[in-house]
Structure formats: structure tokens, C-alpha cells
Amino acid sequence: EVQLVESGGGLVQPGGSLRLSCAASGFTFKNYAMSWVRQAPGKGLEWLSTISGSGSGINYADFVKGRFTFSRDNSKNTLFLQMNSLRAEDTAVYYCAKVRVTYYEELDYWGQGTLVTVSS
Amino acid sequence: QSVLTQPPSVSAAPGQKVTISCSGSSSNIGSNYVSWYQQLPGTAPKLLIYENNKRPSGIPDRFSGSKSGTSATLGITGLQTGDEADYYCGTWDSKALVFGGGTKLTVL
């Protein structure tokens, strides 16, 4: 059974940093691209990034370039999201998701999400 | 402002059929597959339809998808109260994954 478990969310002050993790199990992690998607309270889904199975290819949404860094450790079946210079508008539930087969495809499994609150 | 346009809400009675539209452009829906996601209250999104009209294992055939040109449609027949959820369309656009703003389905 595919499982994705995010962690690392919490309350952080504006301008602060946070590192989210996503632990994957139930599939051969290194063979699949992975994505991060966030959802602000009461709002819709917003894609952040997709990273290839090897980690060598990454696409970012324009609005996170320079502030967020995406990476993965295939030896630990874990995905990471390093967020810097956080703003109030980054407050959201952050989901990691598995890409179904190849890179530019749909997301077939999602984690339960982790809440990030940016506030003083 | 979402790249893909969905109606904010739709409603229908139990047992009835409902459709949810998703409108895009030639750079997204017009040239890529469309997927649909169901988000039940308080839960993570779940893949409902992929490659325009295919259902993952476990998704009942009450759910269907179609695409024509730069628009896509999700259909749900035999509505149940358990179908009350937010529904999102998604596709790729210039190497970015884009979603519709979401449609809240109310089963009256």
C-alpha cells in the first residue's frame, strides 16, 4: 500500500524558515517523480514543484523560485521542502504527492498534509 | 485567479446526474491530458480521473471524464450524499501543473 506521510509543519514567524519532510513507502520511491502541492485555508490547490525520480530534474512554480528548495533522498525514501523567507500568504496545508507514471502526469497518491502557519 | 476555470458550485438531488466543467486554453487542456481530483471535507485530494477519461482502480463507473478541445467535463451519475466534496481539474501547462479553482458539489 502506498503511503505518504508529511511532517515538519507548524507555526513560524514571517521571514522564518521551515523544512518539511515526506516519508514514502509501498512503492519503489526512486522510480517516481514526486510533487508538492499546497492549499491555503478555504482556497484551492496550488502546485509548487515536481522533482524527478533521480532528483536531477526539478520544475518550480514561478512564485516559489528563490525561496523554496526541493530535494529528495532516495536512500531514505524521503522528499524534502526547504522554505525560507516565509510570508503570511504561505500559510497553507502542504501535501506531497506521487506522480502516476512519468514526469508530466497526474498525482495518484497524496499524503495527509502538514499545516504551515506563518504568523507573528 | 486559476489558469483553469470551473464553476464555484453545483448541486443536484440524490440519484441524479451532475456535470462539472473545466475550461482552459490551447497551452494546457488543448495539448495535455486532464485529470480530476475529489477532496472530501477535511481530507487530502484523491485522483478520480486521469488521461481525460480513465478511472483508477477502485473508482466506481458513476464517475466519468471527457475532453473536447480546450474544455473538459467530469460527470457523476447516481449521486450519493457521500459525493459531497470539492472537485478539481488539473493538467500541465508549460511545464507547470495547473489546477482549476475547484467546484463544490452539494447533494441536496
Side-chain angles (χ1 to χ4, degrees):
Chain A
E1 177 193 7
V2 172
Q3 284 199 322
L4 300 170
V5 180
E6 301 94 338
S7 60
L11 176 64
V12 61
Q13 292 189 340
S17 297
L18 211 56
R19 189 194 198 201
L20 306 184
S21 299
C22 170
S25 61
F27 63 104
T28 306
F29 183 68
K30 65 180 181 178
N31 289 349
Y32 291 91
M34 299 291 293
S35 293
W36 286 98
V37 176
R38 73 181 183 183
Q39 185 171 35
K43 302 297 184 181
L45 303 175
E46 187 172 47
W47 173 79
L48 301 178
S49 173
T50 295
I51 183 170
S52 65
S54 67
S56 61
I58 307 177
N59 286 73
Y60 294 90
D62 287 342
F63 65 87
V64 303
K65 287 180 181 176
R67 292 197 304 129
F68 292 5
T69 302
F70 303 84
S71 61
R72 62 191 295 161
D73 184 341
N74 286 343
S75 69
K76 297 181 179 179
N77 289 357
T78 304
L79 189 68
F80 300 103
L81 169 53
Q82 176 68 43
M83 303 185 292
N84 299 327
S85 303
L86 285 164
R87 309 163 180 164
E89 54 264 37
D90 295 318
T91 294
V93 174
Y94 286 72
Y95 296 101
C96 67
K98 171 186 166 292
V99 176
R100 191 176 64 86
V101 179
T102 59
Y103 195 89
Y104 294 108
E105 288 194 348
E106 47 283 315
L107 308 178
D108 60 351
Y109 289 94
W110 298 60
Q112 85 288 349
T114 187
L115 176 62
V116 172
T117 303
V118 184
S119 175
S120 56
Chain B
Q1 193 81 356
S2 302
V3 173
L4 306 179
T5 300
Q6 298 180 233
S9 63
V10 295
S11 61
Q16 297 299 303
K17 173 183 178 179
V18 70
T19 60
I20 297 173
S21 61
C22 175
S23 177
S25 68
S26 58
S27 66
N28 42 66
I29 293 178
S31 50
N32 294 289
Y33 287 125
V34 175
S35 53
W36 289 90
Y37 302 87
Q38 176 193 59
Q39 187 174 31
L40 296 169
T43 70
K46 174 184 176 181
L47 181 63
L48 207 57
I49 297 288
Y50 68 97
E51 291 185 357
N52 302 333
N53 55 19
K54 298 179 181 177
R55 285 175 286 105
S57 174
I59 301 299
D61 59 6
R62 299 187 299 106
F63 295 91
S64 63
S66 65
K67 175 184 138 175
S68 178
T70 59
S71 294
T73 302
L74 172 69
I76 311 173
T77 59
L79 276 172
Q80 302 174 359
T81 55
D83 296 332
E84 283 206 339
D86 293 324
Y87 292 85
Y88 295 90
C89 58
T91 188
W92 286 88
D93 186 335
S94 303
K95 299 185 179 181
L97 179 58
V98 294
F99 294 101
T103 299
K104 182 177 183 60
L105 169 63
T106 300
V107 181
L108 302 169

